[in-house]
Amino acid sequence: MEKPYVIGIDVGGQSTKFGIVDARGTILHSGCVDKTGQYEDVNDYVAALAGALQDVIDRVGGKEQIRGIGIGAPNGNYFTGHIDFAANLPWKGRIPLAQLLTDKTGIPVTLTNDANAAAVGEMTYGAARGMKDFIVITLGTGVGSGIVVGGNLVYGHDGFAGELGHTIIRPENGRSCGCGRRGCLEAYTSAPGVARTARELLTARTDYSLLRERNPEEITSKDVYETAVKGDSLSVEVFEKTGQLLGEAFADFIAFSSPEAIILFGGLTKAGELIMNPIRRSMEKNVLKVYAGKTKLLFSQLRESDAAVLGASALGWETKMND
């Protein structure tokens, strides 16, 4: 009998979310492993994840009901099942996560980049339904991207195509990035990048800001959003600067694949028009004339994390049936 369910897992720098999904794309049960980064030994992480998964697997009648597991992870390689040199995870080198989890659960596992998983989720269930050419940009702990051309994800010859967050946007005196280089888009427009911009402005200027009531080293992108909503001019400026950089980068990305849409996904999208408006202005200002007005700029239509979980779950249907 056909096994009716798959599991989708979204491995993030802050937490790992997962869900059991049926053939219609309904997430029946979900769970979370908090503080992914606290597990310095990947084997401890896999044990914790397998334990959490077992709770939801039991709810649907055991692993005999699970066709496969799909994982979306930073620097996840679809071809090898490894996480390779992920800047925002504690495990260094090449980590054979798919095999480790298969060994622990007895269920076949397929792995891909987290942003690629989000792109599959958007294409199947969200804002990209019916589209064959689009880019998903994930704005969270890092800046990821999933590129779809002609209805197919772009993997490249080695599985690592589409690291748009690590394109260098400031080659002169650029910020250090977790990848080891300087000036990457991620260093400026990720959630930590937004907080860093706020700290830099607070240091460089003396004008009043609600952010000065907080410990500078503890300021987060959420703090910047909350004070911007209250009308704090410095916080609003942080989003203006962030949006300007994203818009410039998006104009370049459009020249690469001429997407029908660029879809924004992740925690920073909660800022809404505070970040969308400056992105749109900057993108329209910088895009090559032949592409002007052709690419839509959209927010994800799926609840936070659902796109990545659903996209990852689609990989579970690709796995071979267990005997």
Side-chain angles (χ1 to χ4, degrees), residues 142-165:
V143 174
S145 56
I147 303 168
V148 174
V149 175
N152 297 307
L153 275 166
V154 175
Y155 282 112
H157 80 283
D158 62 351
F160 285 116
E163 283 291 347
L164 298 179

Side-chain angles (χ1 to χ4, degrees), residues 74-254:
N75 283 40
N77 190 315
Y78 177 75
F79 296 154
T80 67
H82 291 188
I83 294 176
D84 288 8
F85 309 102
N88 297 310
L89 294 175
W91 321 305
K92 305 308 175 186
R94 292 187 170 92
I95 306 299
L97 185 63
Q99 189 61 54
L100 289 173
L101 191 58
T102 294
D103 292 344
K104 203 72 174 176
T105 63
I107 300 170
V109 177
T110 306
L111 177 144
T112 193
N113 176 276
D114 51 352
N116 286 342
V120 173
E122 290 293 345
M123 183 164 51
T124 308
Y125 307 109
R129 279 175 296 182
M131 294 185 191
K132 292 187 175 181
D133 297 270
F134 65 94
I135 298 173
V136 170
I137 301 290
T138 61
L139 299 172
T141 307
V143 174
S145 56
I147 303 168
V148 174
V149 175
N152 297 307
L153 275 166
V154 175
Y155 282 112
H157 80 283
D158 62 351
F160 285 116
E163 283 291 347
L164 298 179
H166 293 289
T167 53
I168 293 176
I169 60 165
R170 291 295 182 265
E172 300 294 330
N173 300 315
R175 286 180 183 173
S176 60
C177 180
C179 73
R181 303 191 305 163
R182 303 188 72 88
C184 292
L185 181 66
E186 180 174 296
Y188 294 87
T189 61
S190 61
V194 167
R196 185 170 175 179
T197 299
R199 287 193 291 271
E200 288 179 355
L201 290 180
L202 289 169
T203 300
R205 305 211 310 237
T206 59
D207 51 318
Y208 174 74
S209 169
L210 290 169
L211 289 173
R212 295 192 186 280
E213 299 174 7
R214 293 167 165 80
N215 181 333
E217 295 307 312
E218 296 178 359
I219 289 173
T220 66
S221 60
K222 183 173 182 286
D223 295 326
V224 180
Y225 166 70
E226 290 175 347
T227 50
V229 168
K230 294 177 182 177
D232 183 74
S233 60
L234 186 143
S235 301
V236 171
E237 185 177 341
V238 171
F239 282 109
E240 286 286 335
K241 288 181 177 293
T242 304
Q244 176 188 340
L245 294 173
L246 284 169
E248 291 173 3
F250 291 179
D252 288 339
F253 301 164
I254 288 169

Side-chain angles (χ1 to χ4, degrees), residues 39-66:
Y39 296 95
E40 295 184 5
D41 186 329
V42 70
N43 293 292
D44 293 338
Y45 168 75
V46 170
L49 177 57
L53 288 174
Q54 191 60 53
D55 290 341
V56 293
I57 290 170
D58 288 343
R59 295 187 199 179
V60 295
K63 71 177 185 179
E64 293 76 18
Q65 303 299 310
I66 307 299

